[in-house]
Amino acid sequence: MKFGGSSLASAEKFNHVVALIEQQQQPVAAVFSAPQGITNDLVTLIELINQQQNLTSQLDLISQKLLTISADCVALRADFDSSKSQQQTAGLLDQLRHLAQGCELIGFCPEITAAQILSSGEKFSTLLMATLLRTKSPVTVLDPRLFIHTDSDVNDTVADLPRCQQEFNKHYQAITDISVMPGFYGVNHSGDLVTLGRNGSDYSAAILAVCVDAESCEIWTDVDGIYSVDPHLVPETQLIEQMSYQEAMELSYFGAKILHPKTITPLANQQIKCVIKNTHNPDHHGTTITTETAKHKAVKAISNLSDVVMINVSGPGMKGMVGMAARVFATMSEAQISVILISQSSSEYSISFCVPGDEATKAVRRLEKTFKLELKNGLLEPIQRRNNLAIITLIGDQMHQQKGTASRFFSALSHARVNIIAIAQDSSERSISAVVRAKRVDDAVVICHQQLFLKKPRIDAFLIGCGTVGRELIAQIKKQQEWLQQKNIELNLIGIANSRQCLLEADGVDLEHWQEQLTDSETSFSLSKLADFVRTAHITNPVIIDCTSNQGIAMDYLSYLEHNFHVVTANKKANTDTLSYYHQLHQMAAKRQRRFLYETNVGAGLPVIDNLQSLLRAGDELIQFEGILSGSLSYIFGEIHQGLSLSEATKKARDLGYTEPNPAEDLNGMDVARKVLVIAREAGMALELNDVDLQAVVPPALAEITDGDAFMQQLPAYDQEFQQKIDQAENQQQKLRYVAIIKNGKCAVKIQAVDKTHPLYDIEAGENALAINTQYYQPKPFIIRGYGAGAEVTAAGLFGDMLRTLAWEQEY
Ligand code: ADP
Ligand code: ASP
Ligand code: MG
């Protein structure tokens, strides 16, 4: 049984571990790490020594932590010999102080002394555990210095297992009752104490398991077992109940901290079962590692290894030269640097490989020495290093039997907009790795987990503006939760903002009580705040949904796209700003592979833009367009032909809430002009808003009134003049329609009289209609007709656009 630092963080935890050991069938051996955080504190102490700084406070901190744990044990076990324990701790701390002071005098910490300092935590844990256990049973303390022999003189190397077994047998023969041993260290050829590397107590346990020919080696930690990914990064991950030695080896090798990478090899050689168990949940069966694997899943796990540097050796001298690779890697091996991953281009012009970040400088220096001549003669280019990288790896024994894993892996990475720097797959196809920038590796793990395990596409939506349309959209999101679940889509509303406040919730805002929560929120909203939030919460598919008509927000779309948000908008201000901004938005969306969707800009929920885009993609061309694009004007013009005057019809529409609070904003035709401009630009026409030939329904003097009530008061004065137009049309069996037209490269918006044969003759009562003539649709246009305004249809359009963000790969 090996207990990690997380199982030994306090006196209570020590006591809990004592109970776990006592419950075991004997003989049992237990290996201990340092109490949580102590090794890090010792590392800091060594750094302070090397920086020639004052050590007092760091030494005090360590003393205080260890003395507290051992003193607290008194209260937990009545029969515990506290004076002995305090004495032992004090002795250990004295030794530590002496070592540190010795180093202080010489101004640095030699490696051998560093190893002694670092091992203090494990020694403490073991002494304390032995004292605690002895209250009930006899305990043997095993000294790793007597038998854990490593195969070289440096820290962090491998154990010489046959020798370990031999020495163990010499000193201990078999174990009886309870044996305890400090993890993390052994001795080198010269008999000096050396560490097995950070996290090395797992390895100590494996070595001991081999020496005593254990039935199993249990690694007791703070999680229920090995998960598909680090559960601290992705809480909804799945526990792996059974995995093979090979899989566990790859997983730990590629960074999963749960196991030290060297742990598995000795166990696999002796076929000793390894079980990962949770100290805080001992009844859970944990993960069992044997020769068997659960076969139903190809990709078992994803791990990530941070702080990696990629070194590149390249130059004309590489080509066709036999032995270049051998020299590169021999140099690494002589320098005792482990090479994590290799990739070579088929032109043989370069070899790239990854090494741990802290070895990179040494690696480059040694290569420069090896290839001194080649570098001097220009046969090699200067050795390059690329810092701050990480490796993400998929692991699974069954991967070779499944096609498409790599493709899903890389597509997931590209979905998260993570750039792949290098790729490597082992030939047994048990693991496949990609080198990425360290900054993005957490996002990469999250999205790969989503796409390879949950297989649940996810949208994280942020809503700006919660007027009638925004509110309706939230209601639809709530209403559709069940449907989304059936379709296996996770639609998460991560935030809502109005012009003053903002609500942010990574797990999704409460769709029931969002209104109260938003009112209570004291956070204001800004792009940078949202971008920070998305980054820290590792949200990989964020979408902003703009339900405002705000110019400022529309001008932020470019930055949103640049920050990898999809943009879904009902706001027409962006698409009808300058043509250059319109192009910039589309280019940025393409560059970032994000979607910029605005189906609701024209005809609310009617499928206008998407249809038009599909036709144009299929080589069609817009020849002519005619349409009624304003629901309010459609209603007003319908009423006019029912006998109402212009002002009466407008009042009726206004009372029903079909117009803007100030109907001048409808009757000035601007909104229609914007819509027709969006269509024209979609069809590839290079037009600006003031190129649209706009004739308002009412004369400028009326159209420019800014107050709704004042406008309504003055409108009747225009009735008579307008009535003449109506009469004239009706006399010729025509009806007046407020239409938008695209013809001969020009846009116009005006009142037009249409007769019975015209597609827009029947359109009234708030409907929109669009008659689109294209190369493919002529002479008869293709017609889209239906309610083109209203909260429900607009929200439905936004909902549709939101779902389309999932298929961003299809955007061209
Ligand atoms: P200990 O102190 O017991 O040695 P560690 O912190 O070294 O514990 O290792 C346990 C931690 O490993 C877990 O808390 C978890 O965050 C991390 N971890 C990384 N990858 C995985 C994984 N795939 N499954 C489970 N835990 C993992
Ligand atoms: N205490 C050591 C470390 O923190 C060894 C271990 O915990 O496995 O690295
Ligand atoms: Mg550990």
Side-chain angles (χ1 to χ4, degrees):
M1 301 173 87
K2 175 260 168 177
F3 294 90
S6 51
S7 308
L8 301 168
S10 62
E12 285 80 11
K13 292 196 173 178
F14 268 75
N15 203 35
H16 177 60
V17 170
V18 167
L20 286 175
I21 297 171
E22 283 171 349
Q23 282 160 21
Q24 294 297 314
Q25 215 184 349
Q26 292 178 2
V28 59
V31 174
F32 304 107
S33 290
Q36 192 160 44
I38 291 296
T39 312
N40 287 344
D41 293 335
L42 294 166
V43 169
T44 307
L45 179 69
I46 293 166
E47 282 165 4
L48 291 173
I49 295 173
N50 287 331
Q51 293 158 7
Q52 299 178 0
Q53 295 196 21
N54 191 301
L55 310 179
T56 318
S57 60
Q58 187 65 11
L59 279 166
D60 289 349
L61 174 91
I62 296 166
S63 306
Q64 184 248 328
K65 282 190 186 174
L66 298 187
L67 288 167
T68 306
I69 293 176
S70 81
D72 286 353
C73 284
V74 179
L76 294 168
R77 280 180 96 92
D79 43 2
F80 173 68
D81 184 352
S82 68
S83 64
K84 185 166 178 224
S85 162
Q86 287 296 67
Q87 217 179 352
Q88 277 175 340
T89 309
L92 202 72
L93 289 168
D94 271 349
Q95 213 179 356
L96 178 66
R97 240 174 248 279
H98 285 141
L99 286 171
Q101 280 158 357
C103 294
E104 202 174 18
L105 281 178
I106 55 170
F108 78 104
C109 185
E111 213 173 336
I112 296 176
T113 319
Q116 280 177 305
I117 290 179
L118 285 175
S119 64
S120 316
E122 273 68 14
K123 288 177 182 157
F124 165 82
S125 296
T126 309
L127 286 175
L128 182 56
M129 287 302 301
T131 317
L132 288 166
L133 285 161
R134 274 189 186 125
T135 58
K136 288 217 178 127
S137 357
V139 173
T140 312
V141 179
L142 305 173
D143 185 349
R145 282 171 300 189
L146 294 180
F147 71 99
I148 298 193
H149 285 270
T150 62
D151 71 350
S152 83
D153 279 344
V154 296
N155 283 311
D156 199 3
T157 62
V158 280
D160 174 352
L161 274 174
R163 174 138 191 237
C164 293
Q165 282 170 296
Q166 216 176 16
E167 297 290 331
F168 182 85
N169 291 335
K170 198 159 95 196
H171 289 98
Y172 301 108
Q173 295 91 37
I175 56 164
T176 51
D177 310 317
I178 298 177
S179 302
V180 294
M181 182 185 95
F184 189 38
Y185 65 94
V187 282
N188 64 13
H189 291 316
S190 329
D192 304 317
L193 186 152
V194 282
T195 69
L196 302 173
R198 291 306 308 268
N199 240 335
S201 301
D202 301 335
Y203 187 31
S204 304
I207 298 166
L208 181 60
V210 169
C211 292
V212 301
D213 194 17
E215 193 182 305
S216 73
C217 174
E218 298 178 350
I219 307 289
W220 289 76
T221 182
D222 60 349
V223 286
D224 280 344
I226 299 185
Y227 287 83
S228 301
V229 281
D230 186 344
H232 288 117
L233 191 59
V234 183
E236 69 267 35
T237 170
Q238 301 140 356
L239 187 91
I240 305 171
E241 294 184 4
Q242 174 81 47
M243 71 196 301
S244 72
Y245 291 122
Q246 302 282 9
E247 287 172 328
M249 221 180 301
E250 296 281 339
L251 185 79
S252 57
Y253 179 78
F254 282 111
K257 179 176 159 221
I258 182 100
L259 269 183
H260 183 274
K262 290 170 199 148
T263 313
I264 293 296
T265 314
L267 299 176
N269 289 345
Q270 301 281 317
Q271 306 236 331
I272 297 171
K273 174 172 79 177
C274 179
V275 188
I276 314 292
K277 301 253 322 165
N278 190 350
T279 308
H280 316 305
N281 186 15
D283 294 333
H284 194 286
H285 51 70
T287 298
T288 306
I289 304 166
T290 58
T291 45
E292 300 289 314
T293 180
K295 294 221 166 43
H296 57 280
K297 220 181 256 152
V299 182
K300 268 290 164 52
I302 304 170
S303 68
N304 64 292
L305 186 65
S306 302
D307 191 21
V308 166
V309 167
M310 190 156 84
I311 294 177
N312 186 264
V313 183
S314 69
M318 300 289 289
K319 180 121 189 97
M321 278 272 280
V322 177
M324 282 304 260
R327 284 174 66 202
V328 169
F329 296 116
T331 308
M332 292 301 102
S333 141
E334 277 156 24
Q336 300 264 4
I337 296 170
S338 92
V339 173
I340 308 166
L341 172 155
I342 305 169
S343 92
Q344 184 183 23
S345 68
S346 61
S347 69
E348 298 178 46
Y349 187 72
S350 75
I351 294 176
S352 302
F353 58 93
C354 293
V355 298
D358 54 0
E359 306 268 33
T361 305
K362 182 162 130 200
V364 172
R365 218 182 304 124
R366 295 293 282 265
L367 286 168
E368 282 168 349
K369 204 166 145 207
T370 306
F371 293 105
K372 201 169 163 197
L373 270 180
E374 286 84 350
L375 285 164
K376 201 169 152 203
N377 298 332
L379 285 170
L380 284 187
E381 277 155 21
I383 313 275
Q384 289 168 341
R385 63 183 275 182
R386 194 161 170 181
N387 297 333
N388 304 324
L389 301 180
I391 298 175
I392 167 164
T393 306
L394 302 191
I395 292 130
D397 279 353
Q398 309 288 313
M399 269 178 7
H400 66 286
Q401 288 175 3
Q402 228 193 30
K403 297 187 183 70
T405 309
S407 122
R408 283 196 294 147
F409 180 29
F410 300 137
S411 108
L413 291 176
S414 100
H415 206 290
R417 307 243 347 96
V418 175
N419 186 34
I420 299 171
I421 293 161
I423 296 167
Q425 182 178 35
D426 81 334
S427 60
S428 65
E429 298 176 53
R430 192 168 281 120
S431 72
I432 173 160
S433 306
V435 181
V436 302
R437 278 191 305 148
K439 242 172 49 189
R440 299 304 315 281
V441 73
D442 285 356
D443 281 354
V445 171
V446 171
I447 191 102
C448 287
H449 181 262
Q450 261 171 35
Q451 306 229 333
L452 289 138
F453 287 91
L454 304 180
K455 298 194 183 113
K456 202 168 182 176
R458 184 187 171 106
I459 303 169
D460 289 293
F462 183 86
L463 179 69
I464 309 175
C466 33
T468 45
V469 173
R471 279 203 302 273
E472 174 61 28
L473 181 61
I474 298 173
Q476 288 182 7
I477 293 176
K478 187 163 160 241
K479 187 168 123 199
Q480 288 308 91
Q481 283 302 315
E482 207 181 298
W483 177 85
L484 289 161
Q485 226 156 34
Q486 275 166 16
K487 295 281 165 207
N488 208 23
I489 296 170
E490 184 138 353
L491 172 53
N492 195 20
L493 188 63
I494 55 164
I496 304 173
N498 60 25
S499 51
R500 284 150 286 118
Q501 289 138 312
C502 162
L503 201 61
L504 281 170
E505 195 61 63
D507 294 330
V509 299
D510 180 346
L511 296 173
E512 192 86 53
H513 303 105
W514 66 269
Q515 244 153 334
E516 298 92 291
Q517 289 173 3
L518 183 63
T519 314
D520 291 346
S521 156
E522 281 168 13
T523 322
S524 64
F525 165 64
S526 73
L527 190 159
S528 63
K529 211 173 271 174
L530 183 56
D532 280 349
F533 174 77
V534 160
R535 197 174 320 115
T536 44
H538 300 298
I539 289 167
T540 48
N541 197 32
V543 185
I544 63 144
I545 300 165
D546 182 4
C547 290
T548 72
S549 54
N550 185 293
Q551 178 81 25
I553 291 168
M555 298 324 276
D556 278 343
Y557 293 172
L558 199 60
S559 306
Y560 279 113
L561 291 166
E562 205 169 0
H563 283 85
N564 298 320
F565 285 81
H566 300 281
V567 174
V568 166
T569 180
N571 178 355
K572 293 180 276 289
K573 297 283 162 60
N575 275 328
T576 56
D577 199 79
T578 60
L579 186 64
S580 100
Y581 186 58
Y582 172 87
H583 285 317
Q584 278 174 30
L585 289 174
H586 285 80
Q587 281 156 7
M588 184 58 83
K591 184 165 156 204
R592 295 279 170 195
Q593 293 181 313
R594 297 284 103 163
R595 300 208 79 175
F596 172 41
L597 297 169
Y598 40 87
E599 186 57 87
T600 49
N601 274 192
V602 181
L606 295 179
V608 178
I609 305 286
D610 192 37
N611 274 322
L612 201 57
Q613 286 175 342
S614 322
L615 280 175
L616 299 172
R617 278 202 285 267
D620 204 354
E621 268 171 59
L622 182 74
I623 299 175
Q624 187 180 319
F625 166 80
E626 250 180 328
I628 291 176
L629 299 177
S630 157
S632 27
L633 294 179
S634 161
Y635 182 82
I636 291 171
F637 278 72
E639 290 302 303
I640 281 166
H641 289 289
Q642 299 295 320
L644 296 193
S645 69
L646 176 63
S647 65
E648 285 164 345
T650 307
K651 180 170 184 314
K652 192 169 172 190
R654 188 189 192 214
D655 291 346
L656 288 167
Y658 293 170
T659 66
E660 295 294 325
N662 177 8
E665 288 173 25
D666 295 295
L667 295 172
N668 69 16
M670 199 54 180
D671 183 58
V672 177
R674 287 188 190 274
K675 288 173 179 168
V676 77
L677 180 66
V678 175
I679 299 178
R681 284 181 170 177
E682 226 39 57
M685 295 163 64
L687 295 175
E688 298 288 353
L689 189 55
N690 45 22
D691 293 328
V692 179
D693 178 11
L694 170 62
Q695 293 169 24
V697 179
V698 292
L702 279 172
E704 282 157 20
I705 296 175
T706 51
D707 177 72
D709 292 332
F711 174 79
M712 289 310 291
Q713 239 165 26
Q714 295 191 37
L715 186 59
Y718 180 60
D719 277 345
Q720 209 183 351
E721 196 182 328
F722 196 78
Q723 192 59 43
Q724 287 173 6
K725 296 187 196 209
I726 303 173
D727 293 344
Q728 200 182 352
E730 288 187 343
N731 286 341
Q732 297 178 33
Q733 275 80 49
Q734 291 178 324
K735 285 186 178 175
L736 295 184
R737 295 291 177 243
Y738 194 63
V739 297
I741 299 165
I742 302 176
K743 201 174 178 177
N744 303 329
K746 296 213 163 77
C747 293
V749 172
K750 61 178 187 192
I751 299 171
Q752 187 173 300
V754 298
D755 62 24
K756 258 201 172 66
T757 61
H758 195 279
L760 303 181
Y761 183 86
D762 279 334
I763 311 300
E764 44 197 32
E767 271 191 297
N768 276 198
L770 298 92
I772 302 170
N773 266 116
T774 66
Q775 291 286 4
Y776 297 167
Y777 284 92
Q778 62 170 340
K780 283 217 174 251
F782 107 80
I783 302 215
I784 301 169
R785 172 179 175 173
Y787 289 116
E792 279 179 1
V793 289
T794 311
L798 291 167
F799 197 92
D801 274 355
M802 213 156 53
L803 292 182
R804 286 167 60 207
T805 60
L806 290 175
W808 60 268
E809 296 92 342
Q810 287 157 18
E811 186 81 322
Y812 306 104

